[in-house]
């Protein structure tokens, strides 16, 4: 079992930066791949970024590539550094986790993740 508790988020002007954090519980965090998703009003939840259990592989949605960075540390935290924010980045952001028994796979859909954080609002004003 993994529990995810998110922090960060808030209101920022376009061009600004925010950092989201996700703290995981559980003794086997190092065996879990992690991801960030977001859901804007009236839209489906969409993939933002993912990171392998080792942290060696990261992957991004095209819409955030070059602006967002996902990372993780050995203290069971996952981060999403968001730079050059745009109004279209406004959404509720969720961190997610899934067991990664083997390396080398990327997970882009919400159905592939088993555990979710509570969500945090990010609002980018123009």
């Amino acid at each position: 079992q993994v529990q995810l508790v998110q922090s960060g988020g808030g209101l920022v002007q376009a061009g600004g930066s925010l950092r989201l954090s996700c703290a995981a519980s559980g003794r086997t965090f190092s065996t879990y791949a992690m991801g960030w998703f977001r859901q804007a009003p009236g839209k489906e939840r969409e993939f933002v970024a993912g990171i392998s259990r080792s942290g060696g592989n990261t992957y991004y949605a095209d819409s955030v590539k070059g602006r967002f960075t996902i990372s993780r540390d050995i203290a069971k935290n996952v981060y999403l550094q968001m730079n050059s924010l745009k109004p279209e980045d406004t959404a509720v952001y969720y961190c997610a986790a899934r067991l990664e028994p083997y390396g080398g796979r990327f997970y882009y859909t919400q159905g592939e993740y088993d555990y979710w954080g509570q969500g945090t609002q990010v609002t980018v004003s123009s």
Side-chain angles (χ1 to χ4, degrees), residues 9 15 20 31-32 37 62 64 77 85-86 92 98 104 116:
L20 304 183
T31 63
Y32 283 80
F37 286 74
D62 288 343
V64 307
N77 297 305
L85 282 161
K86 305 175 181 180
V92 177
R98 64 150 293 139
W116 292 86

Side-chain angles (χ1 to χ4, degrees), residues 5 10 43 62 101:
V5 178
K43 295 187 177 181
D62 288 343

